[in-house]
Amino acid sequence: MKPHEYKFVVPHELEELTNAINTLGMVNEELVPVWESMGRVLSRDVVTPMDIPPRPRAAYDGYAIRSQDVVKTPIKLRLVGLVHIGEVPSIKVGPMETAYVTTGAYLPDGADAVVPEEFVDVINSNEVVINKPVKPWENVDPAGDFARKGDVVLREGTVIMPWDIPALLELGVGEVWVRRRVKLFIVATGSELVEVKTPGEVLNAIVNGKVVESTASFIGNYVRMYIPYAEVVGRVIAPDDQEAIKNAIVRALDTADIVITTGGTGPSGIDYVYEVTKSLSPRIYIRGLKMRPGRPTGLAILSNNKVIINLSGHPISALNAMTFVVKEVIKRLAGVKVDIAEPRVMARLARGVLGDEEFARQYRVRVRRVGNEYVIEELPRQGSSLTHTLLTVNGLVFTRKGQVFKEGDYVEVLLLREPPRE
């Protein structure tokens, strides 16, 4: 049997967790093509490599002219050619001459304005009549109008979004410096765990008293969906054996920045995660946090900037720890300063009370939309072992220690699904 003191987890304040995370360094950087950078974190500011556009461009389909030639209209000009977007003009516009240009095309030398084609009559293949005067640089994007060489367009620490990529390409940016993805390895502990390969094995496992491994799988899916600057590089199930758990964690540390363990955090005689983690001589080890669910969550920081995070085996507890602990560690290692926006709304609490004087809490809630207002209409049972309740909720509420909300108060909700509308 384990010594008596192992049975007690003294929870730490969340501020201690934050202070520990802030001691971590960032992972290395790498240079990648812009079109492969979605979801990555910039490790350096992105600057424009040249004035954009590098020369004046037509803002409309029309006729490039010398503005001084069309002060009085209508006036006839000689058509000397045309310029399409995607080419460098080989023609020049002289006195009383014009050239047809498409939107985005570079202006030919000599021209300083564009007359939109709806204000032009075509006489023949060599002559047009301009019916509206224009001022110098009217209907033109001047050189450097979009960006100047050396302008900072995205800051270090920003997560690249899909719409950033075409914008960067337009500014002539072909590659960016980003942090490599943070590598995670998940060690699920528990002799009761089984990994099913066919649908029929699910019921068979339950009937035989086994537990279908789901928490480690959930963590991997969460990372893939919400944390694109991290990747799961491995997952393994270890039995309730101290040596087996230690071997699995040590091997995982060879390839990963973060090793996440699930299960084995309790006080029973077969829970060995604490002993194993402690045996690796972490420079910081926080065992237990003042949060519910997920109170036994642990964070160990090793001397080589590697991290071990101990999570409960319950998916609901792991979900809370993913938002409070795991994601914050990943963000620190990845150098995230401007993250992907989360779907959060303010919702009115229709009934009940949310909050705890001693612990930070995560609540599963059901939200509906009434007109333009979000309303928390129900608080399902909140036990950490009731994983199936995740199917009936569509939002999470996080409260800090000492923060209490009562009926009628407005509370911030992280939406898991789109609420029904009335």
Side-chain angles (χ1 to χ4, degrees):
M1 295 294 291
K2 288 192 266 185
H4 185 68
E5 63 266 20
Y6 281 155
K7 295 186 177 183
F8 300 98
V9 177
V10 179
H12 296 252
E13 300 288 348
L14 293 181
E15 288 77 11
E16 294 181 63
L17 177 77
T18 300
N19 292 337
I21 292 173
N22 287 340
T23 69
L24 288 166
M26 289 179 281
V27 297
N28 295 333
E29 63 178 358
E30 59 186 358
L31 191 62
V32 301
V34 162
W35 50 89
E36 295 178 5
S37 67
M38 202 279 289
R40 305 295 291 275
V41 183
L42 290 171
S43 58
R44 306 183 190 184
D45 292 346
V46 179
V47 299
T48 50
M50 62 189 302
D51 288 350
I52 302 294
R55 55 187 294 168
R57 302 194 323 182
Y60 290 91
D61 293 337
Y63 292 83
I65 52 86
R66 301 188 330 150
S67 57
Q68 66 193 72
D69 292 337
V70 297
V71 174
K72 295 182 179 180
T73 56
I75 190 168
K76 186 184 295 183
L77 300 180
R78 187 168 72 92
L79 182 62
V80 297
L82 58 88
V83 182
H84 291 111
I85 186 173
E87 63 182 68
V88 177
S90 59
I91 58 177
K92 182 178 180 179
V93 171
M96 304 305 293
E97 292 180 339
T98 186
Y100 183 79
V101 290
T102 59
T103 302
Y106 291 140
L107 261 62
D109 290 342
D112 68 350
V114 172
V115 180
E117 58 183 332
E118 57 263 36
F119 301 112
V120 179
D121 294 325
V122 179
I123 304 302
N124 53 52
S125 60
N126 297 315
E127 292 180 305
V128 299
V129 173
I130 306 297
N131 295 308
K132 181 182 179 182
V134 290
K135 298 177 181 178
W137 308 114
E138 190 171 346
N139 302 319
V140 170
D141 296 322
D145 189 49
F146 295 173
R148 292 288 184 180
K149 180 179 180 179
D151 283 351
V152 176
V153 293
L154 278 180
R155 292 289 182 184
E156 170 262 333
T158 301
V159 178
I160 298 288
M161 303 300 290
W163 42 86
D164 293 328
I165 294 174
L168 290 172
L169 291 171
E170 183 182 62
L171 296 179
V173 179
E175 56 188 8
V176 290
W177 285 97
V178 298
R179 297 288 167 192
R180 67 164 174 80
R181 287 189 175 91
V182 177
K183 298 177 181 180
L184 282 67
F185 199 110
I186 307 169
V187 178
T189 72
S191 298
E192 77 282 5
L193 298 178
V194 293
E195 189 168 17
V196 297
K197 299 186 184 302
T198 65
E201 293 180 57
V202 176
L203 288 178
N204 184 60
I206 295 174
V207 169
N208 286 283
K210 296 294 184 180
V211 175
V212 177
E213 195 294 301
S214 62
T215 303
S217 302
F218 150 70
I219 293 168
N221 290 331
Y222 184 101
V223 169
R224 280 185 285 273
M225 188 166 190
Y226 292 108
I227 316 178
Y229 39 88
E231 60 181 333
V232 176
V233 296
R235 179 170 64 92
V236 68
I237 296 176
D240 290 315
D241 176 83
Q242 187 165 339
E243 196 63 27
I245 294 171
K246 184 172 183 176
N247 288 339
I249 293 176
V250 170
R251 286 195 298 269
L253 286 168
D254 287 338
T255 58
D257 304 296
I258 303 172
V259 175
I260 300 175
T261 66
T262 66
T265 57
S268 79
I270 58 172
D271 290 328
Y272 297 109
V273 166
Y274 168 70
E275 291 92 333
V276 169
T277 305
K278 192 72 174 177
S279 73
L280 296 175
S281 302
R283 63 179 178 86
I284 299 175
Y285 190 16
I286 297 173
R287 184 194 184 205
L289 295 170
K290 286 191 175 180
M291 69 178 194
R292 289 177 174 162
R295 175 181 171 179
T297 300
L299 172 74
I301 299 177
L302 307 184
S303 58
N304 56 357
N305 207 50
K306 302 251 180 168
V307 181
I308 301 172
I309 303 176
N310 309 138
L311 303 187
S312 164
H314 294 302
I316 286 177
S317 295
L319 174 58
N320 196 26
M322 286 299 296
T323 55
F324 264 115
V325 184
V326 178
K327 189 172 184 181
E328 292 305 310
V329 172
I330 295 173
K331 287 171 63 175
R332 176 69 183 186
L333 290 173
V336 175
K337 295 179 180 176
V338 182
D339 202 1
I340 299 169
E342 293 180 329
R344 293 179 182 266
V345 299
M346 297 302 294
R348 178 170 54 83
L349 184 59
R351 61 179 64 88
V353 177
L354 297 176
D356 191 305
E357 292 294 340
E358 295 297 327
F359 283 77
R361 293 289 301 265
Q362 174 210 82
Y363 293 91
R364 301 180 297 286
V365 300
R366 187 176 297 127
V367 180
R368 74 177 190 274
R369 190 169 181 179
V370 182
N372 292 324
E373 184 181 44
Y374 293 92
V375 179
I376 299 173
E377 62 177 357
E378 189 173 343
L379 307 175
R381 292 173 62 190
Q382 297 295 313
S384 61
S385 61
L386 303 174
T387 305
H388 67 276
T389 59
L390 291 170
L391 301 175
T392 66
V393 302
N394 56 13
L396 299 175
V397 170
F398 303 92
T399 62
R400 299 186 302 274
K401 171 185 173 181
Q403 186 179 39
V404 177
F405 295 96
K406 299 179 181 179
E407 181 178 323
D409 290 343
Y410 282 84
V411 186
E412 185 179 69
V413 181
L414 173 63
L415 293 180
L416 303 178
R417 297 182 179 86
E418 185 177 358
R421 183 189 292 268
E422 293 186 5

